[in-house]
Amino acid sequence: MLPVERQQQILTWLKEEGTLKVSEASRRLGVSEMTVYRDIQPLAEQGKLIRTSKGLAQAKEPRPAVQPDHCVYCGKGTNTRFAVQLIRIDHGVEQACCAHCGLLRYGAIADEVAQIICRDYLTDATIGGRMASFLIDPDVRLNCCEPQVFVFASRKEAERFRTGFGGKLFSFEEAIPAIQERMDGTGCHG
Ligand SMILES: [Zn+2]
Ligand SMILES: [Zn+2]
């Protein structure tokens, strides 16, 4: 067997079995452990497998890099005044293009979120999302995701805004299922 054939065989076993001991690979291939180590060296360097205390393991898929100025939920740009930040418990920060995506993302990873930060639609003031009021689908265009979600620090102001522009008003907890319901599995670009 050529080294390249042994390397292929080792990768195949790892794919099927997840992990493999060097001694086991040596036994199966009928070569010394030294030879196995020599074979896997380039594979480890190329990130095709990893060496662990228990032997060899299949390389994990690299985590897709988070693009800081793209919405974590829909991929749109987040350089707008509607952008929402999710601060995770592990201190990671995720950006959403608008409250629509911010709330849906929150719904998906709620246990991992320490804080959700929004901006008041009228004053631009930064507010904690859990305290905010959310107006869904008033008759104003944000040109972001549908159904549109507007954030208000003050329930009173939100109600006045609704009197003029329509839509339905929700608290934080109510807003997430309300958006999901309106999406109807059609995605946020309706
Ligand atoms: Zn988005
Ligand atoms: Zn959006």
Side-chain angles (χ1 to χ4, degrees):
M1 234 189 213
L2 296 168
V4 63
E5 292 173 310
R6 289 196 301 269
Q7 290 171 341
Q8 210 45 57
Q9 184 60 65
I10 290 170
L11 289 176
T12 304
W13 284 330
L14 283 175
K15 207 169 167 193
E16 289 165 359
E17 301 165 36
T19 58
L20 184 68
K21 286 199 174 98
V22 172
S23 57
E24 177 63 17
S26 134
R27 195 185 61 75
R28 289 190 200 173
L29 293 165
V31 296
S32 70
E33 293 191 16
M34 252 337 265
T35 304
V36 173
Y37 278 118
R38 219 175 299 133
D39 288 343
I40 63 172
Q41 187 62 33
L43 299 178
E45 281 167 9
Q46 290 160 33
K48 290 181 176 165
L49 59 75
I50 45 175
R51 292 166 66 168
T52 71
S53 55
K54 293 195 188 77
L56 311 175
Q58 205 183 359
K60 298 215 168 39
E61 292 291 322
R63 241 186 143 171
V66 177
Q67 294 174 287
D69 53 354
H70 286 78
C71 176
V72 65
Y73 198 81
C74 75
K76 273 207 263 281
T78 55
N79 297 320
T80 70
R81 56 180 288 257
F82 319 116
V84 167
Q85 281 88 45
L86 289 113
I87 317 289
R88 293 197 313 255
I89 290 164
D90 65 7
H91 303 297
V93 179
E94 297 186 355
Q95 304 276 350
C97 58
C98 62
H100 167 110
C101 286
L103 289 183
L104 288 176
R105 178 64 180 161
Y106 182 96
I109 60 160
D111 293 347
E112 298 171 41
V113 180
Q115 244 195 99
I116 174 166
I117 297 169
C118 309
R119 275 173 193 280
D120 180 272
Y121 179 71
L122 298 172
T123 65
D124 255 3
T126 304
I127 45 168
R130 290 180 178 119
M131 308 295 292
S133 299
F134 297 88
L135 184 64
I136 297 186
D137 249 355
D139 199 14
V140 184
R141 292 293 101 195
L142 279 185
N143 291 321
C144 212
C145 307
E146 305 275 347
Q148 308 187 102
V149 181
F150 289 62
V151 185
F152 296 89
S154 149
R155 180 93 185 185
K156 222 176 191 166
E157 286 178 2
E159 271 162 11
R160 297 231 296 268
F161 191 88
R162 181 187 54 184
T163 306
F165 296 98
K168 262 194 113 180
L169 200 53
F170 298 91
S171 72
F172 180 70
E173 284 80 18
E174 299 163 342
I176 296 170
I179 297 166
Q180 286 164 342
E181 196 180 296
R182 281 168 176 71
M183 303 259 302
D184 247 350
T186 53
C188 36
H189 305 285

